[in-house]
């Protein structure tokens, strides 16, 4: 048996815009290689970078604290809820939203349920911000009741995003303790099942959201 690693995260670059109104990251240098030559022995040099970013940048994980002040934050969600999860892809490419019908006959309990809409093809363009697919409230309620380990989507948001709109998928899933990964990519390369998902962020206390290096391990 061979294993394949599938990248499911967008690359974070200087100034990239993930969500309208959220500033892009600023990548800098704390200690340059040239400056480090004054610190270390001759022939020894290092680069120490710096980064300033909003937590909702690139492919990121939402924990319950993102929505609820009493919910667990990034440092409190257990590792077993974020890594080595049995995966399931729900196909909805080309659909304006992901409804209950897409889950017919699927056992979601304990799995990382990844919603494949194909919207990631627009990432980095203005089209990504308009008319994106989302999880319908009835489907979000069903998932919250049936207990997946995690829910991800390759779109701008797991919810519809009208101005000052409600966010039922976030509200229902995070209330049930189910983390969410948004802005995924590469879901087309995954089988419908038979893979393990990894999407763990740093253990940052007091934050509810942060970028992850999401990837899947597929056994051929």
């Amino acid at each position: 048996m061979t294993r394949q690693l599938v990248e499911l995260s967008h690359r974070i670059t200087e100034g990239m815009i993930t969500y309208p109104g959220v500033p892009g990251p600023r990548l800098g240098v704390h200690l340059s290689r040239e400056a480090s030559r004054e610190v270390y022995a001759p022939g020894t040099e290092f680069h120490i970078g710096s980064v300033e970013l909003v937590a909702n940048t690139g492919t990121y994980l939402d924990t319950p604290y993102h929505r609820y002040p009493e919910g667990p934050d990034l440092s409190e969600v257990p590792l077993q809820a974020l890594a080595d999860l049995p995966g399931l892809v729900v196909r909805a490419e080309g659909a304006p939203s992901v409804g209950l019908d897409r889950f017919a006959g699927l056992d979601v309990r304990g799995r990382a349920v990844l919603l494949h809409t194909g919207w990631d093809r627009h990432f980095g363009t203005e089209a990504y911000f308009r008319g994106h697919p989302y999880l319908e409230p009835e489907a979000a309620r069903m998932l919250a009741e049936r207990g997946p380990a995690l829910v991800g989507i390759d779109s701008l948001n797991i919810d519809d995003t009208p101005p000052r709109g409600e966010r039922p998928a976030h509200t229902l899933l995070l209330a049930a303790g189910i983390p969410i990964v948004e802005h995924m990519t590469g879901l087309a390369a995954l089988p419908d099942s038979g893979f393990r998902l990894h999407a763990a962020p740093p253990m940052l206390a007091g934050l509810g959201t942060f970028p992850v290096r999401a990837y899947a391990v597929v056994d051929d």
Side-chain angles (χ1 to χ4, degrees), residues 28-72:
V29 179
H30 172 70
L31 181 68
S32 69
R33 298 185 190 280
E34 293 75 16
S36 76
R37 294 168 190 162
E38 302 299 320
V39 179
Y40 302 102
T44 302
E45 60 183 46
F46 294 94
H47 176 277
I48 300 177
S50 65
V51 59
E52 179 182 342
L53 56 75
V54 176
N56 294 46
T57 295
T59 302
Y60 55 78
L61 178 94
D62 291 343
T63 68
Y65 185 78
H66 178 52
R67 176 69 175 79
Y68 299 102
E70 304 84 8

Side-chain angles (χ1 to χ4, degrees), residues 116-133:
H116 172 216
T117 71
W119 202 250
D120 57 326
R121 67 185 181 276
H122 298 302
F123 191 83
T125 73
E126 287 296 317
Y128 190 71
F129 305 135
R130 300 189 300 271
H132 67 89

Side-chain angles (χ1 to χ4, degrees), residues 64-86:
Y65 185 78
H66 178 52
R67 176 69 175 79
Y68 299 102
E70 304 84 8
D73 64 19
L74 292 163
S75 69
E76 296 167 328
V77 175
L79 190 59
Q80 57 265 31
L82 306 170
D84 201 25
L85 303 173

Side-chain angles (χ1 to χ4, degrees), residues 134-175:
Y134 59 92
L135 181 65
E136 295 179 8
E138 296 80 6
R141 187 176 304 279
M142 177 276 295
L143 287 172
E145 292 171 351
R146 295 189 183 179
L150 175 151
V151 179
I153 191 168
D154 59 353
S155 180
L156 177 75
N157 201 291
I158 200 168
D159 277 302
D160 194 11
T161 55
R164 299 185 63 83
E166 296 180 347
R167 298 292 189 267
H170 281 87
T171 297
L172 292 163
L173 294 173
L174 296 178

